[in-house]
Amino acid sequence: MVCAQVTAEASARLRRRIRSFSISASPSSRLVRSARCRSVFDTGAAIGLLGGMIGLGGADFRLPLLIGLFGFAALSAVILNKALSLVVVLVALPAHLAAVPAAEVAARWPAAVNLLAGGPLRFSGSSFLMR
């Protein structure tokens, strides 16, 4: 229940931030909007580059920037970071499945089950801590 409320607050905050990028008639506000969009793009590109170079999804780099640069509250940043990590995993999954034969994965099924079970357990543990 608490996580749903926090997620709703985080998404509302994100919607407000997106609306702040709206185009207005004055050239100076367009310039500010352009600079903000450029900053967001540059930050995302840097996170993707760093994460890709060392083989991570970028979550270790995203969280400090969400809090420090973009001004998210810590809990909202963690929730948004988890959601973005899920997107990264889902996007990378087809490439990984194509690169590794199914027989190799099947041979290591205990490790795969352990990893898959860890996500929901971690989520339920963080929900428990929020009470």
Side-chain angles (χ1 to χ4, degrees):
M1 182 64 108
V2 173
C3 286
Q5 180 183 5
V6 172
T7 304
E9 291 172 7
S11 63
R13 186 173 186 176
L14 186 59
R15 280 193 297 268
R16 284 194 302 272
R17 286 185 181 275
I18 290 170
R19 275 193 298 246
S20 71
F21 291 134
S22 63
I23 298 174
S24 70
S26 70
S28 63
S29 64
R30 285 190 194 139
L31 186 60
V32 169
R33 178 182 177 267
S34 175
R36 282 184 186 169
C37 288
R38 180 65 186 195
S39 170
V40 169
F41 178 80
D42 290 345
T43 303
I47 289 171
L49 180 68
L50 285 171
M53 285 174 34
I54 62 174
L56 297 174
D60 296 333
F61 305 114
R62 260 193 323 259
L63 193 55
L65 292 174
L66 285 171
I67 294 171
L69 184 63
F70 297 114
F72 280 89
L75 184 60
S76 298
V78 167
I79 291 170
L80 182 60
N81 196 32
K82 281 184 179 183
L84 289 171
S85 293
L86 178 64
V87 170
V88 168
V89 168
L90 292 176
V91 168
L93 191 60
H96 286 104
L97 289 176
V100 179
E104 290 283 329
V105 176
R108 292 171 177 80
W109 71 267
V113 169
N114 190 14
L115 288 171
L116 291 172
L121 291 175
R122 183 178 50 216
F123 179 75
S124 62
S126 63
S127 298
F128 177 74
L129 289 174
M130 291 302 302
R131 292 182 188 167

